Amino acid sequence: MSDKAKLKIGGREIELDLITGSEKELGIDVSNLRVSSNIITLDPGYKNTGSCKSAITFLNGEKGILRYRGYSIEELAEKADFLEVAFLLIYGELPNKEELEKLLNDIKENSIIDEDIKKILESFPKSAHPMGILSSLTSALIAFNPEKKLSLSGNEDQDYMYNSIVKLLAKIPILVAWVHRRRKGLPLDYGDYSLGYVENITKMMFQMPNLEYVQNDTLVNAMNKLLILHADHEQNCSTSTVRIVGSSEASLFASISAGISALWGRLHGGANQAVLEMLEAIKKDGGDTKKFMSKAKDKSDPFRLMGFGHRVYKNFDPRAKIIKVTADQILNELGIDDPILDIAKGLEKEALEDDYFVDRKLYPNVDFYSGIIYKALNIPNEMFTVMFALGRIPGWIAHWREMRKNNEPIGRPRQIYIGETLRNFSDIESR
Ligand code: CMC
């Protein structure tokens, strides 16, 4: 096949380079199109637009494939530890024992948060959404951990970059635990870094004052799996936000804070909270799933089946498959009989047999069953998206680092202007 694409406009023919990825994905390189022809491409929602080349995550939506750095999500969810996956995503290879120990030790040394951050947290109203608090506190961390300007020569400042990464991996779980504990009226503690990374996160979140903490392995394993499944998902609303904010040379912390905000909406990470609220509403309404199916299909009704559909998965979401099995296991192991799970399964079965959903290739996504697990772990609805953010931190860091290492240009899309053409100003009396 030719390595050029040809674009014919009127009598003109423009040759464009073709780019082939390592999985034989084809792209047309339009990066010089405007310079050579004064024409731009228009693609609202970037449905067909590759914004970068990336070596982090491979995803094939038709075949339901998801791999981090070449490793299948199924194998990682089954065998890996979240911190190993974080290292893999950020640095490209699985860590050896020494590298993993060093990372955990460095995290431990940075696991302290300025007391003033506590004051900021306490100044938020109790009703504030945890995602807004997490995004603000992540931004506030910059004031206590000033970041220097990185050289843009393409060679990263290794030590400085490593320290920033370690600080984030150390401090975000503490913030997440604090946001959770404050909502529950519990004291804001630090963790115990004789424990593993995920073990420590669960302890920070769930330890009760004046009670000896006993680790629940079911809970730790569930948390580990959920964090791995959420750790990266190539370009998407929040990750592309992190890359585009970072492309202005904004700091890592500032970029991650923006990513948290982008994740918040219910069409993205906020779907997990929306799914559980939807399932609870169906239960409260008497459990008639057919009624809600009809609402979802009715174009005059804004209701959508939350946790269904995906921008890229048009067959199945591999993460949803793993999560569904995990939800069953967790509820079994914890001895929980939650009618919400039955409603979810009923809804899924009906949707998979319904022409509307089949024709539009709408399948359960990662968020459909994750809320059921979080609920079983006693995590309140409003914290679900925060848990997603906690898992996504390594992915965002990996993309920020890749973007800076590749010395990518500032993100600056174009537009097709459809407003008024030049007109004369009229003074206020004559309007
Ligand atoms: N319920 C009912 N109809 C739907 C749904 C849904 N959940 N999702 C899409 N559709 C319909 C939509 O109305 C449209 O119909 P028509 O062609 O007749 O106009 C068609 O399917 C295509 O929808 P779209 O909005 O153009 O698809 P998209 O690829 O732009 O949007 C989506 C993807 C995830 C935003 C969308 O499917 C959705 O809103 N799902 C519910 C929210 C959700 O679960 N989000 C979590 C995504 S996974 C977590 C993450 O990684 O962010």
Side-chain angles (χ1 to χ4, degrees), residues 356-394:
Y356 174 96
F357 288 88
V358 174
D359 292 349
R360 288 168 180 76
K361 299 187 188 307
L362 302 170
Y363 298 89
N365 58 50
V366 68
D367 288 324
F368 193 64
Y369 286 102
S370 63
I372 293 173
I373 304 181
Y374 292 134
K375 183 172 176 238
L377 304 185
N378 216 3
I379 297 174
N381 293 7
E382 288 200 332
M383 281 295 295
F384 292 179
T385 315
V386 168
M387 300 312 294
F388 188 154
L390 179 61
R392 188 54 60 88
I393 296 292

Side-chain angles (χ1 to χ4, degrees), residues 267-268 299 304-308 311 356 360 365 367:
L267 297 190
H268 190 13
K299 293 290 170 198
R304 275 192 169 195
L305 208 53
M306 298 314 292
F308 259 77
R311 173 53 65 78
Y356 174 96
R360 288 168 180 76
N365 58 50
D367 288 324

